Amino acid sequence: MPWGHAAFGYVLYSLGHRLATRKPPTAAAVVAVLFGTQLPDLVDKPLSWGLHLFPQGYSVGHSLFVAIPVGLLVLLVAARRGRSTVGAAFAVGYWSHLLGDMLLAIPKQDVAPLDRVLWPVVTLPPYDHETTLFGRIFDVLGAFAHSLTAKQQLVFLGVYSAPYLFAFLLWLVDGAPGVGELRRAIAGE
């Protein structure tokens, strides 16, 4: 889910940035890490689910053969413009998405974790393309909502929400980067 990628990427970037600089992330870095965490799905899901250009949603945006050069290029351009931390935040966000997808594939029997990030060398089995883009989105959200109604939902919610709570608390400890900038933007300052 998008919020899982966002939380995972934010935690990795924030802790790494704090370890390297002893400072919390900036608002610009937070925007970059959050954009990076969503980019693979923003590219691949519409190309697969909506345009049917790929058989499933793990292709160009999820490929290590694309992600590594794109991340390195962003790092290089950002460094030349004096925005290294923003470039690093984007790269961490992007690459953490791929790492998260690989980690989530570990318990699955039908696919090896690296298969999700080796396009075009490895192509996963095709999705059923009878569903529209919005139909697929509603299917995914419906499956998530159904999982919340499971018999052991309190345990599930506790286990499921713990990493998000940690990410949220870390964001608060970091000074809620982005909130002040958003307030100023809304106020027109």
Side-chain angles (χ1 to χ4, degrees):
M1 294 293 173
W3 46 87
H5 287 300
F8 184 53
Y10 182 82
V11 168
L12 289 179
Y13 179 73
S14 175
L15 294 178
H17 183 73
R18 280 183 166 279
L19 188 64
T21 67
R22 306 270 187 245
K23 297 177 186 175
T26 64
V30 170
V31 169
V33 75
L34 293 179
F35 177 69
T37 65
Q38 304 308 305
L39 184 61
D41 286 340
L42 290 173
V43 170
D44 287 346
K45 300 316 187 211
L47 291 176
S48 172
W49 297 353
L51 299 175
H52 309 294
L53 295 177
F54 296 102
Q56 39 59 43
Y58 297 97
S59 55
V60 178
H62 286 79
S63 176
L64 287 174
F65 304 112
V66 173
I68 291 172
V70 166
L72 292 174
L73 179 64
V74 169
L75 283 168
L76 178 67
V77 169
R80 287 190 176 174
R81 294 181 181 209
R83 306 284 295 190
S84 295
T85 58
V86 174
F90 171 82
V92 168
Y94 191 177
W95 296 341
S96 74
H97 182 112
L98 305 185
L99 176 61
D101 282 350
M102 289 187 298
L103 291 173
L104 290 173
I106 290 172
K108 297 186 178 190
Q109 302 290 326
D110 58 337
V111 63
L114 275 175
D115 287 354
R116 291 183 174 200
V117 296
L118 292 179
W119 180 91
V121 175
V122 175
T123 301
L124 295 174
Y127 291 144
D128 171 22
H129 281 299
E130 298 297 319
T131 308
T132 66
L133 173 62
F134 293 108
R136 175 76 63 187
I137 291 169
F138 288 126
D139 288 347
V140 169
L141 293 175
F144 173 72
H146 177 70
S147 69
L148 295 178
T149 62
K151 290 180 183 177
Q152 299 171 352
Q153 74 186 58
L154 289 178
V155 172
F156 174 78
L157 284 175
V159 170
Y160 183 82
S161 62
Y164 302 109
L165 180 60
F166 177 74
F168 179 70
L169 292 175
L170 179 59
W171 178 70
L172 291 177
V173 168
D174 286 343
V179 171
E181 292 79 1
L182 184 59
R183 281 187 188 150
R184 285 189 291 281
I186 291 171
E189 295 175 10

